[in-house]
């Protein structure tokens, strides 16, 4: 009887009959069998997704576990040290270090949404995430990734005011404006997270349950959906424009003005000092935006799983890990504060 109904189900043009039967009679195993056998592979009900690992070789798993665990610990400890240094030293209670402190906090949260799950998957050899867990992870990844994005833009604006308008800097960048800019960053991040989350919740079916990445990235779920492509494309390019084009345009404008002002300084020592103060931020911007935008927009057009995972690793793990070193090694104020705390 099961085989007969299955053959009849597969001959139907519409899948509703198969779904109706499986919901009331044999909801899990038969639905999985029926979905895998159909040519379209459209899955109406999803209970879990399967993530992709960096290697299937069992000998590589201990190496990957040690590598990612070390990177995660360095990221958390490094950014916590930056936060501790800024809080403990009253000389660092300035707008620049206020935003740097919040950037470090966002980096910790951003990395913590992906790496611990990946480490557990390596240990258990089971790369499965529930549907609810996938949406939750995607929401936090979008939120804290957007926080990094917007904070880097705000920091570029802060550098612009500090170098191009030094006499009016203290008046313009007052504590009230700093808090307001931070609230704007949080609001934009929350809007971005909920927009992509609500978009995924509108999907009624998926082509597959395997995500070609080590975490639930929004564009991956968009690609797996068999729903209307217009909505997916619209949201993808809306978010890409809002968090990619305009922030990059603002950063480029700020640094054009900064470079123009630096070149007007007559002494070479003054030019070097001015440029070295913002070079750390510029290097982080290039690393974060280069990999992040490439991953977000490139994955929607033509996606290579391995390249996408490497790009994701760069901006979710490597960039947050390097931020404390970049800002502390090239910043005398933070370096002196860390030495004082160490002593």
């Amino acid at each position: 009887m099961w085989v007969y109904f299955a053959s009849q189900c597969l001959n139907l043009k519409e899948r509703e009959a198969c779904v109706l039967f499986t919901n009331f009679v044999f909801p899990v195993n038969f639905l999985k069998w029926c979905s895998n056998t159909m040519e379209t592979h459209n899955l109406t009900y999803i209970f879990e997704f399967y993530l992709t690992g960096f290697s299937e070789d069992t000998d590589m798993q201990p190496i990957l576990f040690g590598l990612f665990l070390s990177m995660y610990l360095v990221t958390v400890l490094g950014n916590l040290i930056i936060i501790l240094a800024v809080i403990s030293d009253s000389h660092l209670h300035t707008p620049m270090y206020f935003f740097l402190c919040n950037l470090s906090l966002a980096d910790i949260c951003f990395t913590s949404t992906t790496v611990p799950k990946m480490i557990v998957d390596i240990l258990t050899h089971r790369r499965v995430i529930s549907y609810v867990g996938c949406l939750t992870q995607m929401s936090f990844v979008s939120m804290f990734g957007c926080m990094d994005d917007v904070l880097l833009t705000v920091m570029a604006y802060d550098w612009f005011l500090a170098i191009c308008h030094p006499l009016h800097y203290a008046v313009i960048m007052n504590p009230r404006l700093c808090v307001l800019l931070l609230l704007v960053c949080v609001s934009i991040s929350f809007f971005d997270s909920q927009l992509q989350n609500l978009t995924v919740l509108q999907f009624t079916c998926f082509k597959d349950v395997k995500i070609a990445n080590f975490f639930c990235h929004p564009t991956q779920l968009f690609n797996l959906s068999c729903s209307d492509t217009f909505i997916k494309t619209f949201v993808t390019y809306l978010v890409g424009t809002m968090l990619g084009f305009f922030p990059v345009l603002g950063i480029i404008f700020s640094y054009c003005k900064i470079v123009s002002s630096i070149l007007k300084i007559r002494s070479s020592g003054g030019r070097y000092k001015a440029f070295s103060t913002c070079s750390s931020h510029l290097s982080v911007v290039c690393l974060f935006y280069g990999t992040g935008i490439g991953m977000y927009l490139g994955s929607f057009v033509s996606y290579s799983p391995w390249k996408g995972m490497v790009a994701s690793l760069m901006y979710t793990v490597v960039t947050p890990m390097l931020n404390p070193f970049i800002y502390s090694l090239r910043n005398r104020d933070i370096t002196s504060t860390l030495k004082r705390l160490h002593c």
Side-chain angles (χ1 to χ4, degrees):
M1 178 180 178
W2 294 97
V3 176
Y4 173 76
F5 185 85
S7 61
Q8 296 299 318
C9 176
L10 294 176
N11 289 330
L12 292 176
K13 293 183 179 179
E14 297 183 355
R15 193 171 181 276
E16 283 75 7
C18 190
V19 175
L20 179 64
F21 175 78
T22 54
N23 281 339
F24 291 96
V25 183
F26 202 37
V28 179
N29 293 330
F30 185 80
L31 177 58
K32 185 183 294 185
W33 177 86
C34 186
S35 302
N36 292 335
T37 310
M38 294 181 68
E39 293 181 359
T40 57
H41 297 281
N42 293 340
L43 309 177
T44 305
Y45 295 96
I46 295 294
F47 300 100
E48 57 189 18
F49 290 98
Y50 295 88
L51 303 173
T52 303
F54 280 91
S55 176
E56 299 294 337
D57 188 1
T58 55
D59 296 333
M60 286 292 296
Q61 302 308 309
I63 299 176
L64 293 175
F65 171 78
L67 176 63
F68 292 130
L69 179 61
S70 301
M71 295 173 70
Y72 178 66
L73 292 178
V74 170
T75 302
V76 174
L77 292 176
N79 284 284
L80 282 177
I81 290 174
I82 294 293
I83 295 174
L84 178 62
V86 173
I87 294 175
S88 61
D89 193 346
S90 59
H91 295 91
L92 300 181
H93 293 175
T94 61
M96 178 179 67
Y97 296 109
F98 172 75
F99 294 122
L100 177 59
C101 184
N102 284 279
L103 179 67
S104 296
L105 181 60
D107 282 338
I108 293 175
C109 297
F110 189 32
T111 305
S112 298
T113 58
T114 57
V115 180
K117 170 62 178 172
M118 179 172 56
I119 293 174
V120 172
D121 291 345
I122 293 174
L123 280 177
T124 59
H125 304 285
R126 187 172 182 268
R127 303 185 184 93
V128 178
I129 185 170
S130 64
Y131 178 79
V132 176
C134 186
L135 292 184
T136 303
Q137 186 186 56
M138 185 195 70
S139 297
F140 284 116
V141 167
S142 300
M143 179 179 295
F144 295 119
C146 180
M147 276 291 293
D148 272 3
D149 185 296
V150 184
L151 279 173
L152 287 173
T153 308
V154 172
M155 291 174 71
Y157 174 69
D158 179 67
W159 283 116
F160 162 72
L161 291 178
I163 295 177
C164 299
H165 303 281
L167 298 179
H168 302 88
Y169 176 75
V171 178
I172 299 175
M173 194 59 69
N174 55 69
R176 183 178 180 180
L177 180 61
C178 292
V179 174
L180 179 62
L181 289 174
L182 180 62
L183 291 177
V184 170
C185 293
V186 174
S187 301
I188 294 176
S189 302
F190 182 77
F191 171 77
D192 169 62
S193 173
Q194 295 308 305
L195 174 64
Q196 301 195 70
N197 197 27
L198 290 175
T199 303
V200 174
L201 286 174
Q202 301 302 315
F203 298 158
T204 56
C205 66
F206 292 88
K207 302 172 186 177
D208 200 353
V209 293
K210 187 174 182 180
I211 297 176
N213 212 323
F214 60 92
F215 67 97
C216 292
H217 195 278
T219 56
Q220 293 298 309
L221 295 179
F222 287 0
N223 291 337
L224 290 179
S225 171
C226 53
S227 301
D228 185 15
T229 56
F230 173 77
I231 298 177
K232 297 184 291 185
T233 305
F234 176 76
V235 173
T236 299
Y237 286 102
L238 173 64
V239 173
T241 303
M242 183 176 64
L243 302 180
F245 177 75
F246 287 116
V248 169
L249 191 64
I251 291 173
I252 292 175
F253 174 79
S254 298
Y255 273 98
C256 286
K257 293 293 185 179
I258 290 172
V259 172
S260 177
S261 298
I262 291 176
L263 293 177
K264 293 179 181 178
I265 300 176
R266 295 182 179 181
S267 63
S268 58
R271 287 196 298 267
Y272 174 78
K273 183 179 179 181
F275 182 76
S276 62
T277 55
C278 58
S279 60
S280 56
H281 175 262
L282 184 60
S283 59
V284 172
V285 166
C286 295
L287 186 60
F288 179 83
Y289 278 98
T291 55
I293 296 177
M295 166 64 191
Y296 193 86
L297 295 180
S299 63
F300 191 78
V301 179
S302 59
Y303 186 71
S304 172
W306 175 250
K307 292 181 180 180
M309 290 176 63
V310 172
S312 299
L313 184 68
M314 288 296 294
Y315 82 91
T316 59
V317 182
V318 177
T319 302
M321 182 185 68
L322 293 179
N323 281 356
F325 297 99
I326 294 174
Y327 283 109
S328 61
L329 293 177
R330 300 188 63 87
N331 192 301
R332 294 180 181 179
D333 294 333
I334 292 182
T335 303
S336 60
T337 301
L338 293 178
K339 289 180 180 179
R340 190 162 52 250
L341 290 175
H342 178 71
C343 297

